Amino acid sequence: MNIVTVRRISQAFFLLLFLWFCVAATVGPQWWQLRGWPINWILSLDPLTALSTLLSTGTLYAPLFWAVPAVALTAVLGRFFCGFACPLGTLNQLTGWLARRGNTREAREARVQGNAHHRLQSFKYLLLAFFLACAALGSVQTGLLDPLPLLHRSINLTILPLADAHFQALSDEPRAYESAWLIGAVLLAVIGLNLLRPRFFCRFLCPLGALFAFAGRFSPWRMGKAEAHKCGDCRLCEEYCEGGCRPSGEIISSECVLCMNCLKRCPAGRMGFSVSPPAAGSLPMPAISRRGALAAVAAGALSAPLWRVGALGAADRDPSLIRPPGSLDEERFLERCIRCGQCMRACPSNIIQPALLQAGVQGLWTPALNYRIGRSGCQPNCVACGNVCPTAAIRPLSLEEKHGVGEYAQAGPVRLGVAFVDRTRCLPWAMDRPCIVCQELCPVSPKAIFTRVVFEAVRGGRVAAVRLAGEALDVTGQLPQGINLGSGDYAVRPANAPDATPRRILAQSGSRLTLDRPPAGWADPAPGDKLDVVVRLQRPFVDPARCIGCGMCEHECPVSGLRAIRVTSENESRSRSGRMLA
């Protein structure tokens, strides 16, 4: 078995393993769902994630130590991860090959031109410098272009939801994500750019590849010509080179992704991978402009503070920005979040969504809660998001800590925010229509939403009594139309005694009303006495000391669009700046 076949088997294995971990991030009872599978293992191999979080926080989250052996092997062998393990690199290589396969002269010329080294391949090193400068000042942006979070985000939020929508094989109902079209467009662009040049993203844009290039700069094992003077002029090595590293001449070692195509294609067997220096010479790195490098660092160092100034923080924060339970305070959260979408995929309620600009530019695609989407609010007995976060931007919670019981009783439950009733949209407040959906669904005990009963006269509901015989009251006049007076929410009371206790209506048949037993102090009306039809309203109020901001009320509010009760981030327990109560 030749080395190229081994590489292809390795690529297929890691790609399938990656896809399997994406599928297994779904919460459910099946063995193939979230049941202890190491779904973050490939993400943990990413040294760019480890380095950026180390720079931004000064600490290295324990699972990210897997990046150490990846760097160690790179220091010995070169960019083996790019050629043998990276799932996005595999997709890029596959699409580039499909676009240029064939044995015609035109196809061969296209391969030679496409795989030639380009001076702009140094641009990814400038992107790396930019991202690391941002991270050093506390703003982790590497997840935007780091291939592993990028592919995780794309698969989690676009590809798998498409499968859910058509087959419902992964989730029991279709999933939806805000800005999924944009995330999907980015993935299509990354794949589509391979039509211009093979592995376009890997060669020109990948900051992880640039970091691996630095890590393998002094690797003892290198690709290159073993005997330069015996090499012919076929240039088959360059025709099939995936890294654009110029293997037929003075090879650029840091650009070699160890595709091993040159070893297989060389008809004379002159290419080698050994500790001996390449016979034709080598360059450790492509030409990088010192001015460009300084500009990239300066741009990163300037961007992070500007994002903080322009972001919605402190008094200017967007109150609709609600982070998942267990999220660190906003500053530390943005120092760790890599936008991989793992928490969004794992959320069984489908309420964790990719943010756009609610937290400023630096918060793009970070997780935020949207209670109008999905099947419910934040489920009280779910702590999945914190247990799948690869960087602890959302720290893992136990159910005891989330509920504030046991040893956490003094701290109280984890609060995501607090609900506010919009009286201009609430049915009992604004339209005199009975509704207690929010109070009924509040999962807190004692409930955070309570009601106060009032009786309001129904518009056009004044009638005159004709005869009262037991529980049957005949009236004259126009009764309110389009209202089920027998629903149990309506009653009658004397028009001249607005403070009297009303008598409930049990049923209506034409102009005859069947009434409940008379309340204490009820005086039967005489013929001709005026009566008001009134509605019993239970108007909701929120106790901020008990509300945890779970969003059950907002999700189920019957007022579509802008809900009549909405949760905002005030009083969240993850930070002190927004607290309403001492």
Side-chain angles (χ1 to χ4, degrees):
M1 184 182 297
N2 62 57
I3 189 64
V4 172
T5 302
V6 172
R7 187 256 299 162
R8 289 171 179 168
I9 293 174
S10 175
Q11 285 180 305
F13 170 77
F14 277 96
L15 178 59
L16 292 175
L17 184 66
F18 172 87
L19 295 175
W20 172 256
F21 286 159
C22 288
V23 169
T26 305
V27 171
Q30 304 298 326
W31 65 269
W32 47 268
Q33 294 176 321
L34 196 58
R35 286 291 182 273
W37 295 101
I39 61 172
N40 290 327
W41 181 67
I42 293 180
L43 275 173
S44 298
L45 293 173
D46 188 342
L48 184 55
T49 295
L51 179 58
S52 58
T53 54
L54 177 62
L55 288 175
S56 62
T57 66
T59 59
L60 184 61
Y61 188 45
L64 297 179
F65 274 101
W66 277 104
V68 174
V71 172
L73 283 174
T74 301
V76 176
L77 301 175
R79 292 173 59 179
F80 82 96
F81 187 89
C82 301
F84 282 74
C86 180
L88 184 56
T90 299
L91 293 176
N92 286 333
Q93 185 163 334
L94 177 62
T95 52
W97 173 78
L98 289 174
R100 290 168 177 80
R101 60 179 180 167
N103 290 318
T104 64
R105 180 178 179 181
E106 291 77 10
R108 296 191 62 184
E109 289 179 353
R111 283 197 293 267
V112 171
Q113 294 176 1
N115 288 320
H117 178 73
H118 196 284
R119 61 185 180 84
L120 290 181
Q121 288 182 219
S122 62
F123 183 69
K124 61 180 174 288
Y125 299 96
L126 304 183
L127 283 175
L128 175 65
F130 172 82
F131 286 134
L132 293 182
C134 289
L137 292 174
S139 180
V140 174
Q141 302 294 317
T142 53
L144 296 175
L145 285 180
D146 189 335
L148 298 182
L150 186 155
L151 191 57
H152 263 287
R153 180 173 63 245
S154 301
I155 298 296
N156 286 336
L157 307 186
T158 60
I159 305 301
L160 292 184
L162 286 175
D164 292 338
H166 291 285
F167 306 107
Q168 294 187 13
L170 305 178
S171 299
D172 55 2
E173 65 179 29
R175 287 174 168 256
Y177 294 97
E178 295 178 291
S179 72
W181 64 271
L182 181 58
I183 295 170
V186 171
L187 178 63
L188 289 177
V190 168
I191 300 299
L193 285 172
N194 296 303
L195 302 178
L196 299 179
R197 278 183 180 265
R199 279 195 177 231
F200 185 100
F201 178 85
C202 306
R203 295 186 190 182
F204 297 96
L205 299 174
C206 181
L208 178 59
L211 184 60
F212 275 127
F214 276 113
R217 179 173 180 177
F218 301 106
S219 61
W221 286 81
R222 298 194 176 193
M223 189 70 68
K225 288 183 179 180
E227 298 176 87
H229 63 284
K230 295 183 179 181
C231 180
D233 196 29
C234 66
R235 299 183 68 186
L236 284 174
C237 55
E238 290 204 359
E239 182 179 339
Y240 292 95
C241 175
E242 290 292 333
C245 61
R246 209 165 57 198
S248 68
E250 191 178 25
I251 189 170
I252 307 174
S253 301
S254 63
E255 294 299 291
C256 177
V257 296
L258 298 184
C259 66
M260 302 297 179
N261 286 340
C262 56
L263 285 181
K264 179 182 178 181
R265 296 287 178 175
C266 182
R270 305 303 182 193
M271 297 300 297
F273 181 63
S274 67
V275 295
S276 302
S282 65
L283 290 175
M285 302 286 291
I288 302 175
S289 165
R290 180 178 299 179
R291 181 180 300 176
L294 292 175
V297 172
L302 182 61
S303 296
L306 285 178
W307 284 333
R308 279 208 186 111
V309 173
L312 305 175
D316 289 332
R317 71 185 186 284
D318 187 344
S320 67
L321 179 65
I322 304 170
R323 297 298 189 186
S327 297
L328 304 179
D329 62 83
E330 190 66 11
E331 183 176 353
R332 291 191 299 156
F333 180 85
L334 294 175
E335 289 175 353
R336 285 186 174 273
C337 181
I338 59 171
R339 304 156 177 83
C340 61
Q342 293 287 75
C343 57
M344 305 176 202
R345 182 65 198 172
C347 177
S349 300
N350 192 208
I351 59 173
I352 305 182
Q353 298 287 319
L356 286 175
L357 299 178
Q358 296 97 314
V361 176
Q362 63 177 346
L364 179 65
W365 292 334
T366 56
L369 301 188
N370 185 335
Y371 295 128
R372 297 180 305 281
I373 294 178
R375 65 173 69 182
S376 70
C378 182
Q379 297 180 13
N381 292 327
C382 177
V383 290
C385 54
N387 285 280
V388 300
C389 180
T391 61
I394 307 172
R395 60 185 181 84
L397 296 175
S398 65
L399 286 177
E400 289 76 13
E401 184 178 3
K402 186 176 182 180
H403 295 160
V405 298
E407 62 179 303
Y408 304 101
Q410 185 175 0
V414 172
R415 297 187 305 275
L416 306 178
V418 68
F420 288 87
V421 177
D422 185 346
R423 297 187 181 184
T424 66
R425 298 180 66 82
C426 180
L427 297 179
W429 282 102
M431 301 180 185
D432 289 344
R433 294 298 179 91
C435 178
I436 55 171
V437 169
C438 58
Q439 191 270 345
E440 288 180 328
L441 292 175
C442 179
V444 178
S445 180
K447 289 184 179 290
I449 301 176
F450 61 96
T451 61
R452 290 174 179 156
V453 176
V454 297
F455 290 91
E456 295 288 350
V458 176
R459 184 180 182 185
R462 179 160 292 185
V463 294
V466 175
R467 183 170 64 92
L468 177 62
E471 296 178 347
L473 173 65
D474 293 322
V475 298
T476 183
Q478 185 68 38
L479 287 168
Q481 300 298 309
I483 297 177
N484 180 14
L485 295 180
S487 64
D489 294 311
Y490 295 88
V492 292
R493 73 181 177 197
N496 60 355
D499 296 329
T501 303
R503 188 172 178 181
R504 191 156 62 102
I505 301 172
L506 298 180
Q508 175 190 4
S509 178
S511 60
R512 171 166 290 184
L513 304 177
T514 302
L515 306 181
D516 198 359
R517 290 178 299 177
W522 171 265
D524 289 344
D529 285 352
K530 298 295 184 180
L531 298 173
D532 283 333
V533 177
V534 296
V535 58
R536 180 178 182 268
L537 301 173
Q538 301 177 72
R539 289 176 171 167
F541 294 81
V542 177
D543 182 355
R546 296 190 180 278
C547 182
I548 59 174
C550 66
M552 296 288 186
C553 54
E554 181 176 349
H555 183 271
E556 297 297 337
C557 178
V559 179
S560 61
L562 184 64
R563 301 294 199 263
I565 184 167
R566 301 186 292 276
V567 178
T568 66
S569 60
E570 278 87 3
N571 212 33
E572 61 182 359
S573 55
R574 72 186 183 114
S575 69
R576 293 186 173 274
S577 60
R579 290 194 179 178
M580 298 173 59
L581 305 174

